[in-house]
């Protein structure tokens, strides 16, 4: 098996890429809500002070201001913790960005349970679910450093409402050199015929590590990074389950309304009778702990994913 | 029983030691904002709130909601001292499956409301204050806000409601330490003239030194400042108050002390404690 290399945190890559793009284009404006430190854009603020707007701790205001800046011809990135950005400012996202069709990129930082022991106020386990129901909004959750930087480069000229979700832990490099990235097109991380393991964002690396354990036991798993949650790359998933007819989805999100239910809806309506298991955060008072401990607790450790894969295959 | 100034000043130093200890041992915490509000919590819990492990389950009592939830280490420290839970329990802070996490939750004894997202506490306090009025009860609702937090529009929506319902049983305390995460409040998003803002929203305003026990006591004794008018105390504090190298440093918002820093801070606090012997 090939050597594993670990990159930086996707959030770190986001900050670096945004700075590069900002230097190229003085029309690019970043809006923050006392969030530049956690968003890794302190260097952006230092090097391009005229391209950053600070609104203070006021996330609803932030989204409205982003909309106005976009209407005024700016390329706009609104950067704020995913939890506050997508819960508190939901109406601004719905009306002022999506419905009003303003080309704003909203960047949800420290998403999912990245904030660990800071607790549920700081977690975003709802963002795919609520944002998926908003028309005219694309949702992307990059898995590794490659996807993390590519999506920002695409976002600069995307010209449509876009939400990107970032975690803050160093990520394994999942893509080979020369890989392609396109918003709306899933990335196949490794090919296999026995079972499909689909993830999005930081859970893809867990799926990938599970596939390596499975390989040792002679099970060939196909791992998909469904970085774009909406629009969902239906063809990629259908193509894969046609081969495997067995699927596990892994997401750092509520089991309701996220990646798993996207898959469920697609495969049942397309008439497949695929063996299927959704892994995510169940509907209960969530256990407290670090991101890694919590994901492990809810059966998303690579070991547990590989165990579940085997029992699903034996069903 | 009201405690005297000397007793409370000494308590504040002990509380500061505990705040640093639990942050150092658990490896996470909001050091600056916890230290800036220690004196406020000290005076509230020891002299005014009369909230105890015994009466906590009852409804007939004062309430305290910590809207600036991130300064939970100060709250845990004071609640522990009031006997709501043991130090052993507190030492599980940030452990896997502990209820002692980086923001207040009702899973911890003595905590009234789950906070952590800024700009929520005042609305909830207003609701409680209205309920007390409707129930014809004579208790007070206290809430603590950060000054950076005042940028949230919801804070000012709640102020309007407090004014409309003449909530003289509502006591808003602003931890005016003049810093937030990114820098000075007046650079990040200016909130001055603050007194005038609260006045124009229909509040009675008292501005004090929020790290001064005597000034805290006398301001809180005067509540309600006037009948039918909600109260706000602007407590001018020093972020990181009590430890020289933490005071007024932007970087200490949620920095965790290294071993050397922890020991140095302890020495400073111990030597201040000696003067009370
Ligand atoms: C709604 C919301 N937005 C952002 C944050 C992240 N956050 C935590 S503390 C903080 C700064 C708070 O500054 P201030 O209110 O002045 O508190 P203090 O200086 O007393 O620590 C921020 C932005 C949050 N907890 N809630
Ligand atoms: Mg402050």
């Amino acid at each position: 098996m090939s050597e594993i290399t670990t990159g930086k945190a996707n959030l770190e890559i986001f900050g670096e890429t945004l700075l590069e793009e900002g230097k190229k284009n003085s029309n690019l404006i970043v809006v923050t809500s006392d969030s530049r430190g956690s968003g890794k854009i302190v260097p952006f603020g230092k090097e391009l002070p005229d391209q950053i707007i600070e609104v203070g701790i006021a996330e609803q205001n932030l989204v409205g201001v982003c909309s106005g800046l976009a209407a005024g011809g700016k390329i706009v990135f609104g950067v704020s913790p995913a939890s506050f950005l997508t819960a508190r400012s939901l109406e601004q996202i719905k009306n002022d960005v999506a419905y009003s069709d303003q080309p704003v990129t909203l960047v949800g930082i420290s998403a999912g349970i990245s904030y660990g022991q800071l607790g549920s106020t700081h977690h975003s386990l709802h963002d795919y679910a609520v944002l998926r129901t908003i028309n005219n909004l694309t949702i992307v959750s990059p898995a590794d450093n490659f996807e993390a930087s590519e999506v920002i480069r695409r976002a600069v000229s995307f010209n449509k409402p876009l939400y990107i979700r970032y975690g803050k832990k160093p990520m394994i490099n999942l893509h080979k050199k020369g890989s392609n990235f396109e918003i709306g097109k899933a990335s196949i991380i490794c090919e296999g015929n026995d079972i499909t393991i689909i993830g999005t964002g930081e859970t893809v690396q867990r799926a990938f590590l599970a596939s390596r354990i499975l390989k040792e036991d002679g099970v060939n798993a196909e791992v998909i990074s469904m970085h774009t949650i909406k629009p969902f790359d239906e063809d990629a998933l259908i193509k894969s389950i046609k081969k495997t007819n067995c699927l596990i989805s892994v997401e750092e999100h509520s089991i309701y309304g996220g990646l798993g239910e996207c898959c469920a809806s697609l495969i049942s309506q397309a008439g497949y009778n695929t063996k299927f298991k959704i892994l995510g955060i169940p509907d209960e008072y969530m256990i407290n702990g670090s991101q890694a401990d919590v994901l492990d607790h809810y059966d998303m450790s690579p070991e547990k994913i590989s165990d579940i894969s085997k029992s699903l295959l034996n069903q | 029983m009201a405690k005297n100034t000397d007793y409370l000043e000494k308590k504040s130093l002990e509380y500061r030691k505990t705040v640093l200890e639990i942050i150092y041992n658990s490896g996470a915490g909001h050091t600056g904002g916890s230290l800036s509000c220690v004196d406020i919590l000290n005076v509230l819990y020891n002299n005014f709130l009369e909230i105890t492990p015994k009466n906590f389950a009852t409804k007939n009592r004062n309430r305290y909601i910590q809207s600036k939830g991130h300064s939970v280490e100060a709250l845990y420290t004071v609640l522990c001292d009031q006997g709501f839970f043991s130090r052993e329990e507190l030492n599980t802070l940030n452990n896997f499956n502990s209820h002692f996490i980086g923001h207040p939750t009702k899973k911890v004894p003595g905590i009234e409301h789950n906070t952590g997202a800024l700009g929520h506490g005042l609305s909830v306090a207003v609701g409680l204050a209205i309920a007390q009025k409707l129930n014809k009860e004579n208790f007070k609702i206290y809430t603590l806000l950060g000054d950076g937090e005042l940028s949230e529009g919801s804070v000012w929506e709640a102020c309007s409601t407090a004014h409309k319902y003449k909530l003289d049983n509502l006591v808003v305390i602003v931890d005016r330490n003049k810093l937030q995460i990114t820098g000075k409040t007046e650079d990040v998003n200016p909130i001055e003239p603050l007194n005038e803002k609260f006045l124009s929203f229909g509040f009675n305003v008292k501005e004090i030194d929020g790290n001064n026990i005597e000034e805290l006591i006398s301001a809180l004794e005067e509540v309600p400042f006037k009948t039918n008018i909600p109260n706000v105390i602007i407590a001018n504090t020093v972020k990181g108050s009590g430890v020289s190298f933490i005071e007024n440093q932007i970087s200490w918002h949620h920095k965790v002390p290294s071993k050397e820093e922890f020991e140095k801070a302890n020495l400073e606090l111990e030597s201040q404690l000696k003067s009370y012997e």
Side-chain angles (χ1 to χ4, degrees):
Chain A
M1 271 187 273
S2 56
E3 193 78 40
I4 289 181
T5 61
T6 303
K8 300 182 186 178
N10 288 343
L11 205 45
E12 206 85 50
I13 298 294
F14 155 68
E16 291 172 10
T17 313
L18 196 63
L19 178 56
E20 284 171 27
E21 294 298 320
K23 281 180 181 164
K24 283 190 248 170
N25 191 338
S26 61
N27 208 33
L28 187 158
I29 303 285
V30 177
V31 189
T32 51
S33 55
D34 200 10
S35 50
R36 73 184 69 188
S38 24
K40 304 295 171 206
I41 44 180
V42 170
F44 188 106
K46 286 211 172 105
E47 293 193 43
L48 304 170
D50 296 335
Q51 288 174 243
I52 190 161
I53 304 285
E54 171 64 67
V55 299
I57 309 170
E59 295 79 8
Q60 295 175 295
N61 184 32
L62 172 138
V63 176
V65 168
C66 284
S67 169
L69 283 163
K74 298 295 171 192
I75 296 168
V76 190
F77 288 78
V79 183
S80 191
S83 55
F84 314 128
L85 183 64
T86 63
R88 192 180 204 105
S89 320
L90 184 60
E91 191 170 67
Q92 279 79 6
I93 295 176
K94 171 176 165 270
N95 295 352
D96 305 324
V97 176
Y99 179 47
S100 302
D101 196 23
Q102 291 303 345
V104 172
T105 299
L106 295 165
V107 179
I109 58 182
S110 307
I113 41 183
S114 295
Y115 280 122
Q117 287 95 334
L118 292 184
S120 280
T121 52
H122 282 56
H123 298 152
S124 56
L125 298 172
H126 62 279
D127 50 349
Y128 300 149
V130 297
L131 297 180
R132 273 178 66 216
T133 63
I134 293 178
N135 291 349
N136 193 32
L137 182 64
T138 297
I139 305 167
V140 179
S141 179
D144 70 348
N145 289 182
F146 171 73
E147 293 184 3
S149 73
E150 285 299 300
V151 69
I152 292 302
R153 298 193 202 288
R154 297 296 185 286
V156 172
S157 54
F158 192 64
N159 221 17
K160 283 199 293 266
L162 173 63
Y163 171 69
I164 310 174
R165 184 201 218 238
Y166 281 103
K168 60 176 189 173
K169 284 278 156 17
M171 286 289 118
I172 291 174
N173 295 312
L174 300 166
H175 283 265
K176 298 187 187 72
K177 267 218 165 80
S179 288
N180 248 330
F181 177 88
E182 216 182 298
I183 291 175
K185 283 267 171 292
S187 306
I188 309 299
I189 301 301
C190 55
E191 291 186 30
N193 293 317
D194 299 330
I195 184 168
T196 305
I197 311 178
I198 187 168
T200 186
E202 296 201 351
T203 57
V204 179
Q205 80 165 30
R206 289 171 172 258
F208 170 70
L209 293 171
S211 77
R212 289 171 67 99
I213 300 173
L214 286 166
K215 186 157 244 161
E216 284 175 6
D217 295 333
V219 177
N220 284 318
E222 177 145 298
V223 175
I224 300 179
S225 166
M226 190 57 85
H227 47 70
T228 307
I229 292 289
K230 198 175 80 147
F232 199 77
D233 187 351
E234 301 187 348
D235 293 346
L237 181 60
I238 294 289
K239 194 171 157 205
S240 185
I241 59 167
K242 267 187 182 163
K243 282 194 297 188
T244 63
N245 206 27
C246 191
L247 175 66
I248 295 185
S249 65
V250 195
E251 64 196 300
E252 192 178 342
H253 185 274
S254 162
I255 51 169
Y256 299 138
L259 173 69
E261 290 195 350
C262 286
C263 297
S265 161
L266 173 63
I267 57 185
S268 60
Q269 292 186 78
Y272 291 92
N273 190 15
T274 306
K275 293 180 188 172
F276 181 32
K277 175 78 188 158
I278 295 176
L279 297 179
I281 308 295
D283 181 17
E284 64 178 39
Y285 191 95
M286 207 188 82
I287 200 158
N288 293 315
S290 68
Q291 179 200 36
D293 286 348
V294 172
L295 291 176
D296 288 354
H297 175 80
Y298 290 116
D299 290 346
M300 288 179 273
S301 66
E303 295 73 22
K304 206 65 209 235
I305 296 170
S306 90
D307 288 349
I308 293 168
S309 300
K310 280 183 250 171
S311 49
L312 203 57
L313 281 167
N314 290 330
Q315 255 176 31
Chain B
M1 259 270 290
K3 309 289 198 308
N4 67 31
T5 311
D6 249 29
Y7 174 92
L8 292 172
E9 283 176 356
K10 192 169 166 233
K11 268 280 174 216
S12 276
L13 290 167
E14 286 163 359
Y15 287 159
R16 288 192 159 85
K17 280 187 62 180
T18 307
V19 164
L20 287 168
E21 253 168 48
I22 61 176
I23 291 175
Y24 174 69
N25 288 331
S26 73
H30 285 83
T31 309
S34 282
L35 290 175
S36 75
C37 69
V38 158
D39 303 302
I40 298 167
L41 292 184
N42 178 5
V43 172
L44 278 176
Y45 273 93
N46 283 304
N47 275 24
F48 288 92
L49 291 180
E50 294 167 340
I51 303 174
T52 64
K54 265 211 170 118
N55 72 8
F56 190 73
T58 68
K59 296 233 175 305
N60 300 328
R61 58 174 177 81
N62 296 318
R63 310 286 179 125
Y64 170 70
I65 289 181
Q66 185 158 315
S67 192
K68 48 167 276 185
H70 59 280
S71 301
V72 73
E73 292 83 14
L75 182 57
Y76 288 154
T77 295
V78 175
L79 290 176
C80 184
D81 185 51
Q82 304 294 313
F84 280 93
F85 42 79
S86 69
R87 181 59 199 266
E88 286 65 43
E89 290 171 88
L90 177 51
N91 285 345
T92 67
L93 177 62
N94 292 328
N95 287 356
F96 181 66
N97 203 12
S98 167
H99 285 309
F100 291 85
I101 59 170
H103 290 100
T105 75
K106 294 195 282 185
K107 298 275 181 193
V108 171
I111 288 178
E112 195 77 50
H113 187 71
N114 295 7
T115 55
L118 296 165
H120 287 247
L122 184 51
S123 295
V124 179
V126 164
L128 271 165
I130 294 173
Q132 297 252 328
K133 292 256 175 199
L134 293 174
N135 297 342
K136 310 232 181 307
E137 288 161 353
N138 211 5
F139 296 101
K140 294 192 183 73
I141 314 295
Y142 297 82
T143 183
L144 179 67
L145 276 69
D147 48 3
E149 180 179 8
L150 299 182
S151 294
E152 289 288 3
S154 54
V155 170
W156 302 97
E157 296 175 20
C159 285
S160 296
T161 314
H163 167 65
K164 178 181 175 195
Y165 288 95
K166 305 187 168 61
L167 301 179
D168 54 5
N169 56 343
L170 175 72
V171 187
V172 181
I173 305 173
V174 177
D175 185 354
R176 182 77 177 104
N177 56 30
K178 298 172 193 72
L179 295 180
Q180 52 193 102
I181 298 184
T182 306
K184 297 180 184 161
T185 55
E186 297 317 285
D187 293 338
V188 176
N189 191 44
I191 57 169
E192 292 294 345
L194 195 54
N195 287 16
E196 283 87 338
K197 278 185 187 166
F198 275 111
L199 273 174
S200 69
F201 271 80
F203 275 65
N204 242 306
V205 188
K206 191 151 281 272
E207 193 174 341
I208 59 163
D209 176 345
N211 295 124
N212 182 304
I213 300 288
E214 269 175 21
E215 289 194 28
L216 280 163
I217 292 174
S218 68
L220 287 164
E221 268 171 353
E222 282 175 45
V223 169
F225 304 141
K226 276 188 192 148
T227 34
N228 288 337
I229 298 184
N231 314 282
V232 61
I233 296 173
I234 298 180
N236 289 311
T237 55
V238 172
K239 199 156 173 171
S241 163
V243 181
S244 62
F245 59 94
I246 301 179
E247 286 188 354
N248 257 320
Q249 298 300 312
I250 294 163
S251 60
W252 276 95
H253 175 77
H254 51 201
K255 190 173 154 192
V256 176
S258 66
K259 187 163 184 287
E260 292 69 35
E261 287 165 335
F262 175 62
E263 283 163 2
K264 204 170 140 200
N266 246 331
L267 280 180
E268 276 191 21
L269 292 166
E270 302 247 324
S271 83
Q272 293 175 66
L273 266 170
K274 284 224 171 71
S275 62
Y276 288 89
E277 273 167 14

